[in-house]
């Protein structure tokens, strides 16, 4: 504090504080605008007619006859199946992923054995491997080595199961497999903070490794399950590269929402931003809602896990 | 056991049959915990490390054309020589490097600034943090659309604002000279919230008594941050930097979604986009696999020192 | 049914030897306390008995049966952890019952009954439906104890169970634990760094330092007949006074103090030659303080000293003394005097070190050469 010199002038201290605080609040507000403007502009544009888009400033709300829901309706028509496909794929993938990862983290953290660190190192390194390094084999794996869609094709006769649903299974398993490292690391950092004596007390109480997991570790990791679910669901739902590689075309019936979005509103005459922004907003809606409801858990996941 | 034991002080191992030891091993934590970690480990290892190995094998072949079972004959490093002398690869790698250095550096500084600002007792801190982090919850596909619109030459907000100052319009995405920087700016918008969260966690682990001690010593706020607080954020910086750098190497989605084609805006091609294009546009499987391996090596150059650092600190 | 034999037990963590060749016989029903400074290997020893660590060498036997290759689940031991390790998501009842579920001889109703019974015994019957987070430290401690007792194990293992309690509660629990243990008559191995706990609670205590066993014995045996300087110093509060010096022609010689030996002492150090290094030890309560040398019956073991600090404890005063000879750099002495006696800082006192109360240690090895005389003992304990 610049003003708290030797003469203890209360007034100047208070003034100094106020200026400082005022400065901080100005910055805070400016950055709120910085982070929100692209999003706000997008939403406003989604609600405008093409004419209004060309006429008005992008971030201003639509006025009078410039307001229309036509773009949103049209976008919903095109994006709908992608959103459903993505949810169908991301929900089970996330759940299987976090259950497996929690088990792995338990086996690698709370139970002690020699050589653990080596196995662990492979998990941590796996977090950072660029997916580009595996996508060529991945495509071959699901088409030639293990064509699971064909193997499971009899399932398509079940009620509510369409043949294209099965096409989502390779994508789902892929997400599970490549999601394991990061979620294991997240769970491990949580389990490391759990007192070891709880596990030891379980042993002394005569419980097996499995019972300790079921009766002690699982109930105590409920908050962490929330954190990793929010985190990983967002990641899988938002992911694009695997969809591109395993599904390919935006016109495919099983196309995920991230695959469809970059094609919407594009024509030879240029981009229809009203439609594109509407679609972007609708595509982002599930994770946006999840984020607004559970921002704290999302931040928690990012903090320990990385982007 | 028991009955045939001798009671001398050295009677440690005698009298214990291999059955006992075997049963002990079966009961040991290692064996009992194996089902827990071995299944996820196997899935992960096949996917990640099996994939890397297979990719490397493909990169040694000359496979191209339609996806079909690879034929592993004539294995050599030809694709790597070809890649290293390909001007497109060199250019993409340069872009990668620019992205890596500038994106990481700016994100770290900006994120630290945001974190320090929020670390001061401000009102509605949680809401502000939530807004700053909001872009991280969006898909790159979505944010690419948002920025495409922001940068639009005719009626995008940035050019509208520049117009008020009688500047522009500037074709941010279409001009190869500045497209990369425009994209770096957009990515910073998306990622600085993440860096902020990492730094905030680091700041909160520093006891406030250190700050108070600095105040009593008469140091200015700036000085306390520079000399006392920021040096303690080393671990946060390292982990955030690794995440950002690895992202800068593999960023594909944002660039793809800008155009909706395998060709990103001119002047922004990086190894990740080049690799996917070589594979899925031109079906040069072996060549793209070689580029992917080069990309992996670059990522390894970042993460290997990091893992070693973590291992040495005992914080794995 | 609960005798434990610890035989040449050694535990190494990488290069560090945490426990070094420790052997102890623990009788059935005995209350044995492992005591020593932090890092001395006492907890590691306990954890090896529990089965939570695997010995590098040596054997642990329960009733003669080798248990090295038995997992903790099958050892029939119960343990009280330093942080209590109560399962935070279970009620007190759940915590108590959790271990019982693995005892096949009980029906579910019997388990409930047993939980109630133990809760009554520990006076926590009214807390059964609460979660550990809602309990005070003392209550959590009781639940942790209850969880151990409820299973009626062969052996109780306790790892600094009282160290998280405040001083008053600790003293109270000390007594209660002792009563419980003698009532249940279950072999108990108890680890603490607090020598007062060890002295007051144990049937026998084991003093450890640097992974090595220093001495095993009843508390008063260790207090009066320490085998070496470490034990002498570790046990007793305030600590025994030590003066470093050497063997002189007719006794102990050091800069601040020349101390002639009488015949009993002389015989214990007969094997030493002049100039061998010696340490003289004297417990604070054995030092006699006189206002006037005239009161002293025997003058030869008296020195004049200055009072530097007086710490009044109420029942007694802890008196810090310094040799008033300005050139003396020797150890100060700490003495204890009656609480009702007024001693002023700066006063000069005649200080007598009674020959029957002194200990002598080898200056190099620290081994005891001579311990104090006890009325019951006719012969001095020598090594």
């Amino acid at each position: 504090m610049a003003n708290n010199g030797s003469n203890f002038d209360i007034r100047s201290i208070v003034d100094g504080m106020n200026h400082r605080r005022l400065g901080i609040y100005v910055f805070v507000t400016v950055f709120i605008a910085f982070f929100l403007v692209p999003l706000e502009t997008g939403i406003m544009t989604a609600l405008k007619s093409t004419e209004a888009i060309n006429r008005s400033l992008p971030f201003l709300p639509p006025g009078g006859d410039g307001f229309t829901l036509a773009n949103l309706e049209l976008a919903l028509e095109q994006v709908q199946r992608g959103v459903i496909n993505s949810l169908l794929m991301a929900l089970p993938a996330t759940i299987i992923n976090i259950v497996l990862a929690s088990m792995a983290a338990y086996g690698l953290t709370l139970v002690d054995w020699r050589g653990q660190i080596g196995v662990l190192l492979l998990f941590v390194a796996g977090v950072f491997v660029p997916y580009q390094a595996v996508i060529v084999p991945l495509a071959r794996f699901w088409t030639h080595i293990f064509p699971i869609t064909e193997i499971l094709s009899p399932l398509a006769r079940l009620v509510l199961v369409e043949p294209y649903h099965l096409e989502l299974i390779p994508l789902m398993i892929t997400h599970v497999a490549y999601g394991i490292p990061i979620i294991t690391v997240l769970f491990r950092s949580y389990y490391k903070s759990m007192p070891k004596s709880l596990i030891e007390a379980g042993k002394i109480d005569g419980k097996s490794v499995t019972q300790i997991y079921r009766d002690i570790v699982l109930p105590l990791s409920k908050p962490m399950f929330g954190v990793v679910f929010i985190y990983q669901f967002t990641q899988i739902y938002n992911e694009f590269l695997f969809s591109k590689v395993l599904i390919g075309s935006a016109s495919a019936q099983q196309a995920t929402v991230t695959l469809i979005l970059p094609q919407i509103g594009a024509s030879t005459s240029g981009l229809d931003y009203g439609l594109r922004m509407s679609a972007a907003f609708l595509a982002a809606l599930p994770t946006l809602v999840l984020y607004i409801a559970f921002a704290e858990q999302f931040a928690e996941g990012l903090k320990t896990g990385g982007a | 056991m028991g009955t045939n034991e001798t009671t001398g002080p050295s009677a440690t191992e005698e009298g214990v049959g291999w059955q006992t030891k075997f049963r002990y091993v079966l009961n040991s934590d290692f064996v009992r915990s194996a089902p827990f970690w071995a299944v996820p480990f196997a899935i992960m290892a096949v996917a990640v490390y099996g994939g890397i190995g297979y990719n490397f094998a493909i990169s040694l072949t000359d496979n191209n054309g339609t996806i079909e079972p690879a034929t592993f004959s004539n294995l050599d490093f030809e694709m790597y020589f070809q890649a290293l002398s390909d001007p497109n690869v060199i250019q993409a790698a340069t872009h990668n490097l620019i992205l890596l250095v500038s994106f990481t550096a700016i994100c770290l500084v900006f994120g630290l600034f945001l974190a320090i600002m929020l670390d001061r007792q401000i009102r509605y801190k949680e809401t502000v943090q939530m807004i700053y982090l909001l872009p991280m919850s969006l898909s790159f596909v979505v944010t690419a659309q948002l920025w495409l619109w922001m940068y639009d030459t005719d009626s995008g907000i940035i050019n509208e604002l520049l117009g008020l100052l009688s500047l522009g319009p500037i074709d941010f995405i279409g001009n190869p000279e500045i497209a990369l920087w425009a994209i770096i700016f957009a990515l910073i918008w998306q990622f600085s919230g993440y860096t902020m969260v990492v730094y905030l966690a680091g700041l909160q682990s520093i006891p406030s008594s250190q700050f108070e001690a600095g105040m009593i010593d008469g140091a200015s706020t700036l000085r306390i941050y520079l000399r006392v607080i920021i040096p303690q954020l080393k671990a946060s910086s390292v982990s955030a930097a690794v995440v950002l750098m690895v992202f800068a190497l593999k960023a594909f989605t944002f660039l793809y979604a800008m155009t909706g084609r395998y060709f990103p805006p001119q002047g922004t091609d990086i190894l990740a986009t080049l690799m996917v294009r070589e594979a899925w546009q031109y079906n040069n499987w072996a060549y793209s696999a070689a580029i992917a391996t080069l990309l992996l090596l670059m990522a390894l150059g970042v993460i290997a020192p990091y893992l070693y650092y973590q291992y040495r600190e005992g914080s794995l | 049914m609960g005798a434990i034999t610890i035989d040449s037990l050694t535990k190494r963590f990488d290069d560090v030897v945490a426990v070094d060749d420790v052997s102890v016989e623990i009788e059935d029903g005995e209350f044995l306390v492992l005591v020593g400074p932090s890092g001395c290997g006492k907890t590691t020893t306990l954890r090896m008995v529990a089965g939570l660590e695997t010995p590098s060498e040596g054997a642990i036997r329960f009733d003669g049966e080798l248990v090295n290759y038995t997992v903790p689940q099958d050892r029939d031991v119960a343990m009280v952890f330093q942080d209590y390790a109560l399962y935070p998501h279970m009620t007190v009842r759940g915590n108590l019952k959790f271990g019982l579920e693995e005892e096949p001889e009980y029906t579910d109703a019997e388990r409930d009954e047993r939980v109630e019974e133990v809760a009554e015994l520990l006076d926590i019957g009214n807390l059964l439906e609460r979660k550990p987070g809602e309990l005070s430290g003392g209550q959590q401690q009781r639940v942790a104890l209850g969880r151990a007792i409820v299973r009626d194990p062969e052996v109780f293992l306790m790892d600094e169970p009282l160290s998280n309690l405040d001083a008053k509660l600790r003293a109270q629990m000390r007594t209660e634990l002792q009563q419980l243990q003698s009532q249940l008559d279950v072999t108990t191995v108890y680890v603490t760094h607090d020598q007062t706990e060890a002295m007051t609670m144990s049937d026998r205590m084991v003093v450890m330092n640097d992974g090595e066993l220093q001495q095993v014995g009843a508390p008063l045996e260790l207090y009066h007949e320490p085998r070496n300087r470490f034990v002498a110093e570790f046990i007793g509060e305030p600590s025994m006074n030590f003066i470093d010096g050497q063997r002189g022609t007719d006794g102990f010689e050091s800069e601040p103090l020349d101390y002639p030996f009488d015949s009993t002492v002389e015989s214990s150090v007969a094997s030493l030659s002049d100039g061998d290094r010696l340490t003289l030890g004297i417990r604070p309560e054995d030092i006699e303080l006189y206002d006037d040398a005239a009161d002293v019956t025997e003058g030869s073991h008296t020195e004049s000293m200055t009072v530097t600090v007086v710490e009044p404890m109420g029942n007694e005063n802890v008196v810090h003394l310094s040799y008033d000879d300005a050139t003396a750099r020797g150890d100060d002495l700490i003495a204890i005097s009656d609480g009702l006696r007024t001693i002023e800082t700066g006063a000069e006192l005649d200080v007598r070190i009674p020959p029957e109360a002194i200990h002598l240690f080898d200056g190099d090895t620290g081994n005891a050469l001579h311990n104090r005389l006890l009325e019951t003992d006719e012969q001095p304990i020598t090594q």
Side-chain angles (χ1 to χ4, degrees):
Chain A
M1 274 181 274
N3 288 330
N4 61 351
S6 49
N7 56 343
F8 282 105
D9 183 346
I10 296 294
R11 196 197 193 122
S12 73
I13 291 174
V14 173
D15 283 352
M17 292 286 276
N18 278 344
H19 284 137
R20 186 180 296 272
R21 294 198 77 72
L22 193 68
I24 288 179
Y25 279 110
V26 167
F27 270 122
V28 166
T29 318
V30 166
F31 288 123
I32 286 178
F34 171 70
F35 284 111
L36 281 186
V37 158
L39 204 63
E40 191 263 357
T41 311
I43 294 173
M44 288 310 141
T45 307
L47 298 172
K48 287 176 189 173
S49 62
T50 313
E51 195 211 350
I53 292 171
N54 292 331
R55 192 159 30 87
S56 61
L57 281 172
F59 59 89
L60 292 181
D65 57 349
F67 175 80
T68 175
L69 290 177
N71 277 330
L72 271 177
E73 280 164 18
L74 190 57
L76 184 64
E77 223 168 83
Q78 300 190 24
V79 155
Q80 200 177 20
R81 84 193 147 92
V83 172
I84 292 172
N85 284 339
S86 285
L87 291 176
L88 275 181
M89 182 274 299
L91 273 173
T94 307
I95 291 167
I96 298 169
N97 182 350
I98 62 183
V99 168
L100 285 174
S102 156
M103 282 163 50
Y106 168 67
L108 292 172
T109 307
L110 295 176
V111 187
D112 245 334
W113 46 276
R114 229 180 265 251
Q116 212 170 45
I117 213 85
V119 175
L120 199 73
L121 215 59
L122 289 175
F123 273 93
V124 181
V127 173
F128 296 101
V129 167
Y131 293 157
Q132 278 82 6
V134 293
I135 48 176
V136 171
L138 192 67
R140 292 184 184 219
F141 181 78
W142 291 124
T143 42
H144 296 297
I145 300 177
F146 190 52
I148 193 169
T149 317
E150 281 170 40
I151 295 170
L152 293 178
S153 57
L155 284 180
R157 268 174 266 148
L158 294 174
V159 200
L160 291 176
V161 178
E162 301 286 341
Y164 73 86
H165 288 151
L166 296 178
E167 305 276 348
L168 287 170
I169 289 176
L171 185 61
M172 210 159 82
I173 298 175
T174 304
H175 276 299
V176 169
Y178 291 96
I180 285 174
I182 176 68
I183 304 300
T184 303
V185 169
L186 280 172
F187 268 117
R188 177 174 158 84
S189 77
Y190 183 73
Y191 289 158
K192 257 168 60 174
S193 68
M194 213 186 249
K196 248 197 151 111
S197 57
L198 281 181
I199 310 301
E200 292 174 346
K203 279 189 198 171
I204 301 274
D205 270 348
K207 302 290 176 172
S208 68
V209 168
T210 311
Q211 283 171 317
I212 292 172
Y213 178 67
R214 196 191 59 204
D215 296 339
I216 302 174
V217 175
L218 264 192
L220 289 178
S221 24
K222 267 190 218 149
M224 198 56 192
F225 269 93
V227 167
V228 297
F229 180 84
I230 305 295
Y231 176 83
Q232 190 62 357
F233 177 79
T234 308
Q235 298 289 318
I236 295 180
Y237 181 89
N238 286 341
E239 211 277 336
F240 173 76
L241 182 58
F242 286 149
S243 294
K244 183 73 198 157
V245 167
L246 296 181
I247 295 172
S249 159
S251 55
Q253 257 188 313
Q254 72 271 24
T256 57
V257 65
T258 48
L259 206 49
I260 293 173
L261 181 58
Q263 312 300 338
I264 288 178
S267 66
T268 42
S269 59
L271 267 184
D272 180 348
Y273 277 111
L275 185 56
R276 179 67 71 89
M277 288 301 121
S278 298
F281 174 70
L282 291 174
L285 207 54
T287 48
L288 213 52
V289 169
L290 203 63
Y291 174 72
I292 290 169
F294 301 102
E296 212 175 296
Q297 281 83 349
F298 184 77
E300 187 64 40
L302 271 184
K303 197 156 54 191
T304 22
Chain B
M1 310 177 295
T3 47
N4 61 344
E5 249 186 274
T6 54
T7 42
S10 61
T12 316
E13 299 299 314
E14 305 102 80
V16 179
W18 65 269
Q19 295 99 327
T20 312
K21 285 185 184 174
F22 184 65
R23 212 175 321 127
Y24 181 66
V25 170
L26 279 188
N27 279 329
S28 70
D29 285 351
F30 172 71
V31 173
R32 290 296 160 121
S33 72
F36 283 87
W37 60 268
V39 172
F41 179 72
I43 296 173
M44 187 278 297
V46 167
V48 176
Y49 297 101
I52 290 173
Y54 194 6
N55 181 72
F56 180 67
I58 292 172
S59 76
L60 299 179
T61 67
D62 304 322
N63 284 2
N64 57 32
T66 51
I67 291 196
E68 53 192 37
T71 43
F72 292 101
S73 54
N74 301 329
L75 300 185
D76 55 34
F77 285 93
E78 190 201 321
M79 291 300 159
Y80 290 89
F81 294 122
Q82 195 182 324
L84 290 173
S85 56
D86 182 344
N88 288 334
V89 171
I90 307 294
Q91 197 195 29
T94 316
H95 291 154
N96 260 130
L97 206 66
I98 295 172
L99 185 64
L100 187 138
V101 173
S102 51
F103 164 73
T104 306
I106 300 172
C107 261
L108 286 179
V109 172
F110 186 43
L112 177 63
F113 175 75
L114 293 178
I116 289 176
M117 214 169 61
L118 289 197
D119 192 42
R120 314 292 295 160
Q121 294 306 314
I122 68 156
R123 261 183 245 190
Y124 308 117
K125 186 175 156 184
E126 278 76 28
T127 315
V128 174
Q129 182 186 328
M130 188 181 122
I131 291 171
Y132 288 3
L133 196 56
L134 185 63
M136 267 316 269
S137 74
L138 300 175
S139 170
F140 294 115
V141 179
V142 172
T143 57
Q145 309 313 318
L146 297 178
W147 281 93
L148 208 53
W149 177 223
M150 295 285 287
Y151 283 137
D152 188 69
T153 323
D154 298 328
S155 36
I157 190 167
I158 295 177
N159 274 316
E160 296 273 358
L161 291 177
L162 287 176
L164 294 178
L165 304 170
S166 314
L167 292 171
I170 301 170
D171 189 358
F172 288 100
I173 302 301
N175 183 346
E177 297 285 314
I178 50 176
L180 186 59
W181 295 102
I183 279 163
I184 289 176
F185 187 79
L187 289 176
I188 288 167
W189 171 82
Q190 186 153 13
F191 271 86
S192 43
Y194 159 70
T195 327
M196 174 195 73
V197 166
V198 173
Y199 275 127
L200 260 181
L203 283 173
Q204 267 147 24
S205 69
I206 299 173
S208 62
S209 58
Q210 292 194 8
F211 205 92
E212 285 153 11
M215 303 263 271
I216 287 166
D217 288 345
S220 68
T221 312
L222 181 69
R223 232 179 110 77
I224 296 172
Y225 271 112
L226 284 180
R227 301 293 297 278
V228 181
I229 309 293
I230 292 175
Q232 297 185 59
L233 295 174
K234 194 178 151 205
S236 306
S237 303
V238 169
S239 56
V242 168
V243 168
L244 294 172
M245 286 197 278
V246 172
F247 169 77
L249 288 176
K250 67 185 183 186
F252 164 82
T253 306
F254 192 89
L255 293 169
Y256 179 94
M258 277 263 160
T259 58
R261 295 181 299 127
Y262 287 116
F263 278 98
Q266 242 197 325
T268 65
D269 201 19
I270 59 173
L271 284 178
T273 47
L274 177 70
M275 180 266 153
V276 178
R277 185 168 66 242
E278 284 294 340
W280 270 270
Q281 179 114 347
Y282 303 121
N283 296 344
N284 291 329
W285 303 109
Y287 188 50
S288 67
I291 297 173
T293 307
L294 294 178
L295 187 64
L296 176 69
L297 288 178
M298 288 169 79
L300 218 60
V302 175
I303 59 178
Y306 172 69
L307 289 181
Y308 179 70
Y309 167 83
Q310 293 274 298
Y311 175 75
R312 228 191 30 199
E313 303 273 299
S315 51
L316 266 180
Chain C
M1 271 298 289
I4 304 172
T5 312
I6 295 173
D7 193 356
S8 311
L9 196 63
T10 299
K11 177 67 181 177
R12 280 181 290 267
F13 294 106
D14 296 325
D15 310 337
V16 184
V17 182
V19 176
D20 192 0
D21 198 23
V22 167
S23 301
V24 190
E25 292 274 350
I26 306 167
E27 285 163 34
D28 182 28
E30 188 175 22
F31 196 126
L32 185 94
V33 175
L34 293 173
V35 66
S38 60
C40 72
K42 55 192 189 300
T43 297
T44 310
T45 307
L46 186 81
R47 289 169 58 83
M48 284 193 280
V49 175
L52 296 171
E53 305 278 358
T54 313
S56 307
E57 275 166 41
I60 299 170
R61 294 190 186 83
F62 288 0
D63 291 323
E65 195 165 322
L66 190 72
V67 294
N68 282 32
Y69 297 100
T70 309
V71 290
Q73 284 89 337
D74 301 335
R75 289 198 185 190
D76 200 14
V77 297
M79 186 155 168
V80 180
F81 291 84
Q82 185 170 11
D83 61 0
Y84 312 143
L86 299 177
Y87 309 120
H89 57 296
M90 297 180 195
T91 58
V92 169
R93 186 189 297 279
N95 267 283
L96 294 181
K97 208 177 157 184
F98 190 59
L100 267 188
E101 287 161 10
E102 296 310 308
E103 313 273 330
E105 66 267 32
Y106 290 101
T107 66
D108 204 50
E110 282 169 344
R111 287 187 187 121
D112 285 327
E113 210 173 289
R114 175 86 184 131
V115 167
E116 302 275 351
E117 188 185 307
V118 170
E120 277 325 302
L121 178 74
L122 288 166
D123 207 16
I124 49 173
N126 54 334
L127 304 176
L128 279 174
E129 306 314 323
R130 301 229 201 132
K131 295 259 179 83
E134 305 162 29
L135 304 180
S136 72
Q139 289 167 333
Q140 292 187 14
Q141 217 283 327
R142 280 167 187 274
V143 177
L145 217 53
R147 192 171 64 179
I149 292 170
V150 80
R151 286 179 42 223
D152 190 21
E154 293 292 327
V155 177
F156 284 140
L157 303 173
M158 306 198 182
D159 186 7
E160 309 236 11
L162 305 182
S163 63
N164 286 337
L165 301 178
D166 62 55
K168 199 165 178 193
L169 203 51
R170 189 156 59 217
Q172 184 193 327
M173 280 309 289
R174 224 155 52 196
T175 329
E176 216 167 304
L177 248 178
Q178 246 178 308
Q179 285 167 349
L180 260 175
Q181 198 270 343
S182 63
Q183 190 181 334
L184 299 168
D185 198 27
V186 173
T187 314
T188 304
V189 184
Y190 184 108
V191 160
T192 179
H193 65 275
D194 180 350
Q195 56 92 21
T196 318
E197 254 174 46
M199 292 285 288
T200 51
M201 297 172 80
S202 65
D203 294 332
R204 282 192 309 154
M205 54 201 275
V206 175
V207 179
M208 291 182 69
N209 187 36
D210 278 341
E212 287 174 15
L213 186 146
Q214 304 293 318
Q215 193 170 359
V216 191
L220 286 181
E221 185 185 336
L222 266 64
Y223 187 81
H224 293 302
E225 296 162 16
R227 191 187 285 170
N228 59 35
R229 181 173 165 166
F230 177 83
V231 176
E233 191 169 9
F234 190 78
I235 294 180
E237 173 63 37
S239 259
M240 185 186 277
N241 295 290
F242 295 100
I243 303 167
D244 291 321
Q246 58 186 14
R247 173 87 167 100
T249 39
D250 57 349
F252 173 82
E253 283 177 1
S254 72
E255 265 195 73
L257 175 78
D258 288 335
Y259 193 90
F261 293 148
D262 64 15
S263 56
T264 43
V265 180
E266 192 66 60
S267 65
S268 343
V269 294
S271 60
L272 296 181
S273 45
D274 284 5
D276 282 353
R277 291 180 48 199
L278 266 182
T279 301
L280 184 142
I282 179 80
R283 295 231 174 250
E285 67 272 23
D286 290 330
I287 295 176
E288 297 166 12
L289 304 173
Y290 299 98
D291 295 324
D292 191 345
D295 298 338
V296 182
T297 46
E298 198 182 340
S300 60
H301 295 119
T302 309
E303 294 276 325
S304 177
M305 296 180 81
T306 311
V307 177
T308 53
V309 176
V310 181
E311 300 172 79
M313 314 289 276
N315 59 338
E316 58 187 31
N317 294 316
V318 178
V319 183
H320 295 247
L321 298 159
S322 163
Y323 290 100
D324 51 3
D325 182 350
T327 59
R329 296 168 294 117
D331 311 65
D332 291 344
L333 288 186
I334 292 175
I336 287 176
S337 78
D338 188 83
L340 290 173
R341 183 169 166 191
T342 316
I343 294 177
E344 301 282 341
T345 304
E348 281 208 11
L349 296 178
D350 284 324
V351 178
R352 176 166 184 265
I353 298 174
E356 65 276 13
I358 66 162
H359 300 255
L360 284 174
F361 303 94
D362 186 309
D364 296 312
T365 62
N367 288 336
L369 302 170
H370 170 86
N371 278 323
R372 66 156 306 146
L373 302 179
L374 296 171
E375 280 90 50
T376 49
D377 261 323
E378 265 139 42
Q379 281 203 315
I381 308 298
T382 55
Q383 233 202 329

